């Protein structure tokens, strides 16, 4: 029962982070959406920042599970493209919250959360290995610093162009994923 309650709380946090953002999310709104008393919520998570950290740990767990399910024989660039596609699909499905990088309290909470940091490092290490391999085989420009490529890929998870394209009503979700992935990996040149 406790696991189900924690999942309901994290579902509510994730939904509110996606729909309202961190600054507009309140503990009262989380409790109401999760159907739990505010006091009960505080027994599980001591603060709004801790709620966001727990939601992000869950997102990172989902990302790591996705990476583990990729075909290990695929080329490094194909692995990276698959990760970006998954990230965009998660964003379109409302499962990918975007958190403000400027919020020092939230940033400090995330960086102090061992579960978050461990998972982020595991994800980064895996992606960096594929980036290095793709640079070695010539499919990514070897002159680009790997950290620039890594952060470019991470940026796709919170790319506002996804929401803008969705709001036009002119593109299907698959069109959006394909177009954003294409511009990410092929650029804008003909």
């Amino acid at each position: 029962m406790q696991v189900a309650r924690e999942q309901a709380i994290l579902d509510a946090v994730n939904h509110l982070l996606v729909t309202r953002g961190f600054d507009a999310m309140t503990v009262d709104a989380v409790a109401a959406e999760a159907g739990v008393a505010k006091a009960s919520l505080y027994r599980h998570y001591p603060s709004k920042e801790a709620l966001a950290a727990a939601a992000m740990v869950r997102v990172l767990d989902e990302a790591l599970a996705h990476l583990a399910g990729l075909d290990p024989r695929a080329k490094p660039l194909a692995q990276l493209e698959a990760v970006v596609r998954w990230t965009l699909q998660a964003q379109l499905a409302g499962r990918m919250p975007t958190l403000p990088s400027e919020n020092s309290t939230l940033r400090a909470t995330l960086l102090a959360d061992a579960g978050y940091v461990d998972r982020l490092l595991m994800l980064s290490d895996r992606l960096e290995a594929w980036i290095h391999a793709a640079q070695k085989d010539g499919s990514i420009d070897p002159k680009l610093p790997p950290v620039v490529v890594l952060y470019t890929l991470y940026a796709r998870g919170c790319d506002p162009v996804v929401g803008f394209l969705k709001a036009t009503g002119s593109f299907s979700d698959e069109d959006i994923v394909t177009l954003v992935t294409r511009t990410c990996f092929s650029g804008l040149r003909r």
Side-chain angles (χ1 to χ4, degrees):
M1 182 121 169
Q2 183 173 347
V3 172
R5 182 177 295 128
E6 287 180 3
Q7 288 303 314
I9 291 168
L10 291 180
D11 287 345
V13 170
N14 195 59
H15 178 255
L16 291 168
L17 286 171
V18 168
T19 58
R20 294 186 186 178
F22 178 77
D23 290 333
M25 181 185 83
T26 65
V27 173
D28 288 334
V30 173
E33 184 154 329
V36 299
K38 190 173 171 181
S40 177
L41 188 136
Y42 277 118
R43 278 193 293 263
H44 295 275
Y45 304 98
S47 67
K48 175 178 160 174
E49 290 80 10
L51 286 164
M56 289 310 298
V57 165
R58 188 170 74 168
V59 168
L60 289 172
D61 282 341
E62 291 172 8
L64 290 167
H66 178 73
L67 266 63
L70 294 175
D71 182 354
R73 298 166 301 186
K75 292 187 179 209
L77 187 64
Q79 302 278 26
L80 293 168
E81 286 182 18
V83 172
V84 168
R85 288 185 67 78
W86 176 84
T87 302
L88 295 169
Q89 290 164 343
Q91 187 180 358
L92 285 162
R95 297 187 330 267
M96 184 67 66
T98 57
L99 301 176
S101 59
E102 308 84 39
N103 183 311
S104 60
T105 305
L106 176 59
R107 184 175 174 81
T109 300
L110 289 174
L111 294 177
D113 187 295
Y116 175 82
V117 171
D118 290 346
R119 286 161 177 84
L120 185 60
L121 290 174
M122 287 174 22
L123 181 63
S124 295
D125 288 346
R126 186 82 176 269
L127 294 175
E128 283 183 10
W130 287 334
I131 291 166
H132 286 288
Q135 287 180 315
K136 187 176 179 181
D137 75 16
S139 54
I140 291 180
D141 185 349
K143 293 179 184 174
L144 288 171
V147 71
V148 171
V149 178
L150 177 67
Y151 289 149
T152 298
L153 299 179
Y154 276 146
R156 298 298 63 81
C158 57
D159 193 338
V161 76
V162 173
F164 295 146
L165 292 174
K166 181 80 171 175
T168 69
S170 300
F171 304 96
S172 70
D173 286 0
E174 184 54 33
D175 291 340
I176 294 168
V177 169
T178 299
L179 291 168
V180 174
T181 302
R182 181 174 153 205
T183 57
C184 178
F185 287 93
S186 302
L188 301 174
R189 292 186 178 174
R190 191 173 196 194

